Amino acid sequence: MLTRKQAELLRFIQERLRESGVPPSFDEMKDALDLKSKSGIHRLIMALEERGFIRRLPNRARALEVIKLPEGAGGQPAVRGRFNPSIVQGGLGKDSGIGKAKPVESVPEDARGTISIPVMGRIAAGTPISAIQSRSHSVALPADMLGNGEHYALEVRGDSMVDAGILDGDTVVIRRQDSANTGDIIVALIDDEEATLKRLRKRGSSIALEAANPAYETRVLGPDRVKIQGRLVNLMRRY
């Protein structure tokens, strides 16, 4: 049996995983439940973990997985888009030159139910480094982890998204699209030359690119300066 606050937090985590594929930060959970401190969120998470409703993934910043929901709550635990740290091994981290974003064609599913996803170079999650690169190599992912649409992968450089569970050296899987909702983690191309991975916030006619690390400031830009290149749908990590 869960308390009201425990149930509210579980639903919030489940909804965020379903919408964006990444768990909310402690600050987002605190605001959503109208709590005064993150210590209250920590206690709620521990209670949910002890009761078997969630699992904290090891060696990752605030990465959570919903295992089950209370009876009668409706819906299923978020599976698509959740973090799964040992999907792919090897072949990541090759260097590539600076270039502009290029269209990525879908690669057919093979007989074993996997899809080859092109790795398009590196993306900045911190200090800008370069724009999206031309294809360097590919990784194979289970088809049921991707859904519809065209996808590509990028290797993360920087620590500005650590509170969203995205670390330096991770590889993010992106669904190619030119629009997104507030709260989505996106690949944003700024001034056609700088690519970055940030959470999208719409502020009137402006676009805010929000880091998930208090050491980095939110960047607010005019819509003519930002092109959305895709939305985060999954993440890969080597150990």
Side-chain angles (χ1 to χ4, degrees):
M1 190 73 177
L2 297 180
T3 66
R4 181 174 61 85
K5 285 294 186 183
Q6 289 167 358
E8 287 178 2
L9 181 59
L10 182 62
R11 284 195 298 269
F12 180 65
I13 295 170
Q14 161 74 357
E15 289 169 4
R16 180 56 63 83
L17 283 167
R18 182 178 296 163
E19 291 171 359
S20 65
V22 294
S25 68
F26 274 35
D27 283 324
E28 289 172 326
M29 288 187 273
K30 176 176 69 69
D31 293 342
L33 271 67
D34 196 26
L35 296 179
K36 294 182 179 181
S37 71
K38 290 187 283 189
S39 61
I41 293 296
H42 181 68
R43 288 192 294 271
L44 291 172
I45 286 177
M46 288 184 62
L48 290 172
E49 188 175 26
E50 289 172 355
R51 288 162 175 77
F53 287 94
I54 65 173
R55 179 174 62 185
R56 286 186 284 186
L57 303 180
N59 303 319
R60 309 178 67 177
R62 300 187 178 98
L64 302 172
E65 178 183 17
V66 176
I67 299 174
K68 65 179 181 179
L69 296 174
E71 292 184 7
Q76 297 295 325
V79 174
R80 187 184 303 277
R82 76 184 183 195
F83 289 138
N84 195 347
S86 56
I87 299 168
V88 174
Q89 296 182 3
L92 302 181
K94 296 181 180 179
D95 292 333
S96 54
I98 296 176
K100 295 294 181 65
K102 297 181 181 180
V104 179
E105 297 181 358
S106 296
V107 181
E109 182 178 347
D110 68 21
R112 294 172 297 173
T114 62
I115 295 179
S116 180
I117 301 298
V119 179
M120 304 297 289
R122 294 175 176 176
I123 183 75
T127 304
I129 50 174
S130 67
I132 301 172
Q133 315 301 318
S134 59
R135 177 173 178 164
S136 61
H137 61 287
S138 299
V139 293
L141 289 175
D144 59 5
M145 293 185 62
L146 296 174
N148 298 325
E150 298 178 356
H151 298 81
Y152 60 93
L154 294 165
E155 185 181 352
V156 174
R157 281 290 176 264
D159 61 355
S160 72
M161 299 302 290
V162 293
D163 283 356
I166 303 170
L167 308 182
D168 181 54
D170 285 348
T171 296
V172 290
V173 179
I174 306 297
R175 177 178 294 125
R176 186 175 178 82
Q177 56 189 67
D178 58 11
S179 62
N181 298 319
T182 288
D184 288 345
I185 293 178
I186 64 166
V187 172
L189 186 63
I190 303 171
D191 298 331
D192 286 326
E193 60 184 25
E194 171 197 338
T196 187
L197 186 73
K198 293 292 183 291
R199 192 179 298 280
L200 173 68
R201 302 290 185 192
K202 297 178 181 179
R203 297 183 179 179
S205 60
S206 298
I207 291 178
L209 300 178
E210 180 182 273
N213 182 335
Y216 293 84
E217 294 182 353
T218 295
R219 300 178 66 181
V220 181
L221 304 166
D224 58 324
R225 296 184 60 193
V226 179
K227 294 179 182 178
I228 296 173
Q229 303 285 285
R231 179 175 67 85
L232 174 71
V233 295
N234 223 303
L235 180 147
M236 298 176 285
R237 179 169 298 154
R238 290 185 63 187
Y239 288 95

